[in-house]
Amino acid sequence: MKISTASRHLREGTKNVVRNGWMTFASISSIAISLFILGIFVLITLNVNDVATQIEQQVEINVYLEVNTAQDQITALETQIKAIPEVKTIKFVSKEEGLVYLREKLGDSGKALLDGFEGDNNPLNDAFTIEVDDPRNVAVVADGISALNVGKDPKPIYKVNYGKGTVEALFKVTKIARWIGMGIVVLLSFTAVFLIANTIKVTILARKREISIMKLVGATNSFIRWPFFIEGALLGLIGSALPTAVILAGYWKLLNLSSLNLNLLMIQLTPFEDIAPTLTVLLIGLGIVIGVWGSLISVRKFLRV
């Protein structure tokens, strides 16, 4: 395509956006509203996935040792646990460290409640805290650790705890939440495509006489299509840029307002720098594609004259 021809198509496409005032407004509004709703649900879905991952990653295994377990047994047990392929990290927590942690967790009331439990009066057990490579491997690793007690005398392990039952239920809930979120996003995507494409079709249909005249005077199909291609792309770009900017500005504000409260709950919303590129590419890309597609599909039926 010659530069002069491309320049002409660009001018015509831009003029058409400005010239068709109310129809342009209707198209942009339809795109903006549809993609705003879609963008909100994408934002929610991304955060649900991240929060679910954060909750899953907090799952850990606590291995409580028998009282008076010899140091050589503790060292040998640590080596055996480290050898389990799914074990990511292992940390030894003495009963003294456990008491300090418990006091901090209970606050001022805990300090008074746990007074006098130092030294030989400490009722806690030494323990290992273990993280696994994948939260869904926690049950397998826990069973493997329990098996290390077999044939030992005295047995070094008093109890292996990872919240059995609760953890399995947690994984089911997070899986369901992810699937529901993805299902809603897919459904809204198809709805947005349908609404936007049909609105743009109505815009193009209103100019069928113009297209027919151009065809009758000898204009080629590609010559007719290109201005509408550019017009559809511009409509999609403008209509998607607006909701993208509003959603990202609102999310930035939300992060600043909610960071303190959510940090106290040990969860965090997805960082802005992770959300912004994904949401921008998705919404603007979808808006442009639907705009171009709706324009070209509508023009095609009038090219058969």
Side-chain angles (χ1 to χ4, degrees):
M1 183 187 297
K2 294 181 180 179
I3 295 177
S4 58
T5 305
S7 177
R8 182 264 172 197
H9 292 329
L10 184 61
R11 286 197 308 273
E12 284 300 310
T14 306
K15 284 180 183 178
N16 288 340
V17 171
V18 177
R19 188 185 301 137
N20 301 291
W22 282 109
M23 295 306 294
T24 296
F25 176 76
S27 296
I28 291 175
S29 298
S30 173
I31 295 171
I33 293 169
S34 300
L35 293 185
F36 179 80
I37 296 171
L38 175 61
I40 291 295
F41 275 92
V42 169
L43 197 64
I44 292 171
T45 300
L46 290 173
N47 274 281
V48 166
N49 286 339
D50 267 12
V51 170
T53 300
Q54 291 172 41
I55 293 172
E56 289 173 351
Q57 289 176 344
Q58 291 175 23
V59 175
E60 59 186 20
I61 302 171
N62 292 310
V63 179
Y64 299 101
L65 306 179
E66 291 283 3
V67 178
N68 300 323
T69 300
Q71 183 59 48
D72 60 337
Q73 270 194 305
I74 295 175
T75 303
L77 182 62
E78 182 174 3
T79 301
Q80 290 174 314
I81 293 174
K82 283 180 179 177
I84 298 174
E86 294 84 4
V87 170
K88 182 180 178 182
T89 64
I90 178 170
K91 179 184 177 184
F92 177 73
V93 182
S94 67
K95 61 182 182 180
E96 290 77 19
E97 291 173 325
L99 187 63
V100 171
Y101 172 77
L102 192 58
R103 278 178 171 160
E104 290 176 352
K105 191 173 182 180
L106 294 175
D108 292 336
S109 58
K111 292 178 181 177
L113 185 65
L114 298 174
D115 245 3
F117 284 104
E118 295 84 1
D120 294 338
N121 295 324
N122 190 331
L124 302 179
N125 299 68
D126 293 332
F128 288 113
T129 300
I130 298 157
E131 291 183 19
V132 297
D133 58 354
D134 186 329
R136 285 167 181 77
N137 290 330
V138 68
V140 174
V141 174
D143 290 341
I145 294 172
S146 297
L148 297 176
N149 246 358
V150 176
K152 300 286 181 65
D153 188 25
K155 297 184 185 300
I157 299 174
Y158 167 68
K159 184 180 181 181
V160 178
N161 181 36
Y162 67 93
K164 186 175 182 179
T166 303
V167 168
E168 285 81 0
L170 171 66
F171 290 156
K172 287 181 182 177
V173 169
T174 55
K175 183 177 180 180
I176 290 170
R178 285 188 175 108
W179 277 108
I180 289 175
M182 289 301 298
I184 292 174
V185 167
V186 170
L187 181 62
L188 283 174
S189 297
F190 280 113
T191 304
V193 168
F194 177 79
L195 290 175
I196 295 169
N198 276 284
T199 303
I200 292 176
K201 284 180 183 179
V202 171
T203 303
I204 305 301
L205 287 173
R207 290 152 59 197
K208 60 183 180 181
R209 187 166 179 269
E210 172 190 340
I211 298 169
S212 299
I213 291 172
M214 291 175 68
K215 182 66 176 174
L216 288 171
V217 297
T220 64
N221 289 347
S222 61
F223 188 86
I224 297 171
R225 282 195 188 103
W226 270 104
F228 287 99
F229 178 95
I230 293 169
E231 182 180 350
L234 288 173
L235 291 175
L237 176 62
I238 297 169
S240 57
L242 294 174
T244 301
V246 171
I247 291 171
L248 290 179
Y251 188 65
W252 175 264
K253 186 72 174 176
L254 177 64
L255 286 176
N256 292 333
L257 290 175
S258 64
S259 59
L260 177 61
N261 293 332
L262 290 176
N263 283 337
L264 294 176
L265 297 174
M266 301 298 288
I267 61 172
Q268 293 180 336
L269 293 176
T270 306
F272 183 83
E273 57 271 20
D274 292 341
I275 283 286
T278 302
L279 202 64
T280 301
V281 170
L282 176 65
L283 294 186
I284 292 183
L286 188 60
I288 293 173
V289 168
I290 297 173
V292 170
W293 178 67
S295 295
L296 295 183
I297 291 296
S298 302
V299 171
R300 187 175 61 181
K301 66 170 60 180
F302 299 117
L303 296 180
R304 304 187 187 96
V305 179

